Amino acid sequence: MQVVASDIHRRHDNVELSGGRLASSSEGPIRADIIDQAVRAAGHQVISPSALDHDLLTRVHTAEYVDFLSTAWERWNQRPNAAPAAMPFAWPSRGIDPVRPHDLVGQLGYHSFAADCSIVAGTWPAVHEAGAIAASAADLVIAGSLASYGLCRPPGHHATADQFGGYCYLNNAAIAAQRLRENGHEQVAVLDVDYHHGNGTQSIFYERSDVLTVSIHADPIDEFPWFVGHASERGLDDGAGWNVNLPLTAGTTFAGWCAALDVALQRVTDSSATALVVSLGVDTYIDDPLGKFELTTPDYTTMAARIGGLGLPTVVIQEGGYAVDDIGRNVAAFLAGLA
Ligand code: Q9C
Ligand code: ZN
């Protein structure tokens, strides 16, 4: 399978507020470096991305947000005694309809929903490259490949049209889906198998019927992103019925997970989608430090074979997965099942 990847991700190496302490992020450069090694060892062909179309980016994200993300570090670094990571400390909360502040610190709060990630000197080049990887992976499928893999880092599925959080800044899967939509695929489906709910992808397509969004994830009553991801969220207006959430409890094994996959695959089939984007998080793994599901390495091969059974051209986009010792073999196991 053709893999799109780049080393530029290494420039994004940031801190997160975790358990009341500022710590180096679980979402570090080692993740993508290990996946890169594993996919090369498995014999996949690795290519570099093409330049990202700015207009495609601003059809997924607001121009205001893209401008903010691309300049936030420079603006932060001009401040006296600037820390090495830009972070907000206040967010609009319940009952507030926020006006976008002029001040950078206010804008950091306006444009984020969590403090588990921050903006460092290399964040924008890395997140922009991840977006380029997603678009290029979609281009491979548009050109006739049955499947492609975008080794995106940082991940993207938590990023909304104008907010970062959950280690995500640009929504790589949404960029891939939008690219497919604009190049011959009238109906696209996004299947999110990351341990966490794909709130950003849900939000971006929530009022659209041309992109079905389906997410299998830990119940938000117990897990990040906590405030979104419930089964009752089904889409709005034109998008009513075009979002499907399948929340599962802690301790879910592959048997339980597959029951949700059956429902997801049936809905994708019913949608008449002609192309599929998979948001591949391997934080469903039994030894993942952030997740509480119990999937094993061979389960990823079975999962991919079942998804491949849809017979749809498929763009796989990397999301989470934090068990770095096993992340390479878990991703390779998935790609082997799809091939
Ligand atoms: N120290 C993805 O898997 N932060 N994002 C947890 C734990 C939320 C996960 C903090 C997890 C975000 C793409
Ligand atoms: Zn995740």
Side-chain angles (χ1 to χ4, degrees):
M1 187 186 303
Q2 281 192 303
V3 171
V4 189
S6 160
D7 286 344
I8 293 176
H9 75 85
R10 290 181 190 152
R11 295 179 60 185
H12 175 66
D13 191 357
N14 76 127
V15 292
E16 65 174 307
L17 191 59
S18 174
R21 291 185 181 87
L22 203 55
S24 86
S25 179
S26 297
E27 198 291 288
I30 182 118
R31 297 179 57 252
D33 286 344
I34 288 181
I35 296 170
D36 190 284
Q37 273 175 26
V39 298
R40 285 173 198 273
H44 298 290
Q45 185 198 347
V46 181
I47 61 169
S48 297
S50 309
L52 177 60
D53 174 2
H54 190 264
D55 293 332
L56 172 69
L57 187 53
T58 56
R59 287 191 289 272
V60 172
H61 293 279
T62 67
E64 187 177 69
Y65 178 62
V66 171
D67 182 62
F68 163 80
L69 269 188
S70 63
T71 57
W73 172 256
E74 286 163 44
R75 292 171 67 199
W76 176 268
N77 201 37
Q78 278 161 14
R79 292 156 45 93
N81 195 27
M87 288 184 87
F89 62 86
W91 294 264
S93 61
R94 265 175 295 171
I96 291 177
D97 183 11
V99 175
R100 187 176 188 259
H102 293 154
D103 180 75
L104 173 64
V105 178
Q107 287 180 3
L108 282 161
Y110 181 86
H111 283 303
S112 68
F113 63 87
D116 59 3
C117 53
S118 51
I119 294 176
V120 297
T123 297
W124 175 249
V127 305
H128 189 264
E129 186 82 344
I133 288 171
S136 291
D139 285 343
L140 290 170
V141 157
I142 290 161
S145 291
L146 270 178
S148 64
Y149 170 61
L151 207 186
C152 296
R153 179 185 172 269
H157 74 147
H158 293 303
T160 70
D162 67 353
Q163 289 178 304
F164 66 91
Y167 310 149
C168 303
Y169 302 81
L170 292 179
N171 195 311
N172 307 310
I175 290 168
Q178 184 66 26
R179 184 69 147 202
L180 291 165
R181 274 292 295 104
E182 294 177 9
N183 291 275
H185 293 282
E186 294 295 304
Q187 191 71 52
V188 172
V190 182
L191 173 60
D192 190 322
V193 300
D194 187 278
Y195 175 75
H196 303 95
H197 175 242
N199 63 290
T201 316
Q202 166 173 313
S203 164
I204 287 166
F205 297 115
Y206 207 61
E207 293 165 27
R208 288 171 53 172
S209 58
D210 59 333
V211 180
L212 171 71
T213 47
V214 183
S215 181
I216 303 171
H217 51 266
D219 194 324
I221 206 80
D222 291 314
E223 266 295 357
F224 184 88
W226 290 303
F227 312 111
V228 57
H230 299 287
S232 56
E233 299 155 17
R234 292 168 190 226
L236 258 189
D237 300 335
D238 281 356
W242 292 89
N243 184 76
V244 179
N245 284 333
L246 300 163
L248 301 170
T249 58
T252 291
T253 61
F254 192 53
W257 197 92
C258 276
L261 183 63
D262 287 336
V263 175
L265 294 179
Q266 186 60 53
R267 184 64 188 91
V268 172
T269 299
D270 293 345
S271 77
S272 303
T274 58
L276 178 69
V277 175
V278 176
S279 269
L280 175 64
V282 291
D283 40 9
T284 49
Y285 184 54
I286 185 161
D287 290 331
D288 194 278
L290 267 60
K292 296 191 178 104
F293 289 172
E294 298 184 357
L295 274 60
T296 63
T297 302
D299 292 338
Y300 292 105
T301 304
T302 308
M303 178 194 296
R306 296 202 48 206
I307 293 169
L310 290 170
L312 293 174
T314 299
V315 182
V316 181
I317 297 293
Q318 186 62 45
E319 302 288 357
Y322 308 96
V324 290
D325 290 346
D326 299 314
I327 192 173
R329 70 178 66 96
N330 288 340
V331 170
F334 184 93
L335 298 183
L338 202 60

